[in-house]
Amino acid sequence: MTGAVVDVVLPCLNERGALGWVLSRMPEGYRAIVVDNGSTDGSAELAAGLGAVVVREGRRGFGAAAHAGLLAATSEFVAFCDCDGSLDPALLPGLLAPVMDGAADLVLGSRQPQRGSWPLHARAANVVLAWRLRRLTGEQVTDLGPMRAARRAELLSLGLEDRRSGYPLEMFLKASLRNWRIVELPVPYAPRTGKSKVTGTVRGTLTAVRDMSAQLKAAAAASSSGPVRNPGGSEEPI
C-alpha cells in the first residue's frame, strides 16, 4: 500500500497461525509492517504474500523488533499491535483518533481480558506495575499494553534504547517525563494464538519484570534531573 495514513508495527516471532487474521483486520489506509524477529515457521513469507511490508530484525527482543518497525515507518502516525491475534487491529482508528485530533500525544490500549487470555501470574505482575507507575508518574494508567499510537517523529525524539521487554515501559516513562498528554482507552484482549514468549511462562514474566525494573529505576532518577523537552520542542520542568 502506498500513501498509508498510519503505519502499524507488528513485531513477529513464529506467529504464522495468527497472521492471516491479523492482517485481514487491518483498516483501510493502515499499512502493516511485520518485523520478523527470527521466525522459523514461515511467518515472514506469509506476511509478504499477504501484502505486508516485511522487515527482518536479527537481534532477538521485543524492543529490537518494535524499534526496527518504527525506523522503517514513513507515515506521520504510527501504531503498535501484537501479531498473535490477542488484539484486533480493526480497533486502531479509535486509538488514533485522539492523536490525529490533537487531543493526545500517546494513546495506550488498556487490555480488557476475555476468558483464558491472561495467566494469573502475568495479571498480578501487571497490577503491581500499574500501581508503581501511578505512584511514580501521576498518570492514571491501569495497563501497559502493547497496542498504542502516536506520531512517528515524536516517538523517535524520545531516544528509546531498550531492545527487550522494557521497550513499552521506556516509551511510557519518557513520554510522561516530557509531559506528553497520555490517554488510555479500553481494548478487548482475547486468548492469543500459540504460546506467549513472555507472559506465557513464569520465566518470561520474570525477565520482563527485570527489564522493566531497570526502566523504573532510570525514570525515578530522571524525575529530579531538571527540564525536559516536550513534543512541541519547548522546555518544561518535570
Side-chain angles (χ1 to χ4, degrees):
M1 180 191 300
T2 58
V5 176
V6 177
D7 279 325
V8 183
V9 177
L10 298 161
C12 178
L13 177 57
N14 293 330
E15 303 290 5
R16 185 181 179 90
L19 263 173
W21 181 83
V22 170
L23 295 178
S24 74
R25 300 289 292 172
M26 206 62 57
E28 181 68 27
Y30 284 57
R31 176 175 57 184
I33 300 179
V34 175
V35 185
D36 186 70
N37 203 205
S39 297
T40 58
D41 66 348
S43 289
E45 293 76 14
L46 175 61
L50 293 174
V53 174
V54 176
V55 174
R56 296 184 185 271
E57 174 53 61
R59 292 175 297 172
R60 283 292 181 92
F62 177 84
H67 201 69
L70 177 60
L71 293 176
T74 58
S75 300
E76 178 182 359
F77 302 99
V78 174
F80 295 84
C81 185
D82 272 356
C83 207
D84 58 13
S86 62
L87 296 163
D88 188 352
L91 301 175
L92 286 172
L95 263 69
L96 263 297
V99 179
M100 291 180 169
D101 293 343
D105 301 305
L106 176 64
V107 178
L108 307 174
S110 174
R111 292 168 291 184
Q112 309 299 303
Q114 299 179 18
R115 183 183 297 273
S117 64
W118 218 342
L120 182 59
H121 64 270
R123 188 180 302 196
N126 191 69
V127 169
V128 173
L129 175 61
W131 174 77
R132 292 182 66 182
L133 292 179
R134 290 193 295 271
R135 285 175 58 87
L136 177 63
T137 68
E139 306 284 355
Q140 295 306 303
V141 63
T142 63
D143 180 32
L144 201 69
M147 182 178 272
R148 52 189 57 202
R151 284 181 168 80
R152 175 179 177 272
E154 292 178 2
L155 287 173
L156 289 172
S157 77
L158 293 176
L160 300 174
E161 298 177 349
D162 191 288
R163 295 297 180 262
R164 300 202 310 179
S165 302
Y167 187 86
L169 176 57
E170 182 187 13
M171 182 188 296
F172 168 82
L173 291 171
K174 287 187 173 179
S176 180
L177 285 170
R178 295 191 182 196
N179 295 321
W180 283 25
R181 295 163 299 169
I182 300 175
V183 173
E184 190 178 69
L185 297 176
V187 293
Y189 186 54
R192 61 161 288 140
T193 299
K195 186 177 180 180
S196 171
K197 289 79 176 176
V198 180
T199 58
T201 66
V202 174
R203 179 179 179 181
T205 299
L206 292 176
T207 299
V209 168
R210 183 174 65 247
D211 291 345
M212 292 181 181
S213 294
Q215 291 298 329
L216 289 168
K217 183 177 179 180
S223 64
S224 58
S225 63
V228 294
R229 196 168 293 276
N230 69 14
S234 62
E235 289 190 342
E236 295 186 5
I238 296 174

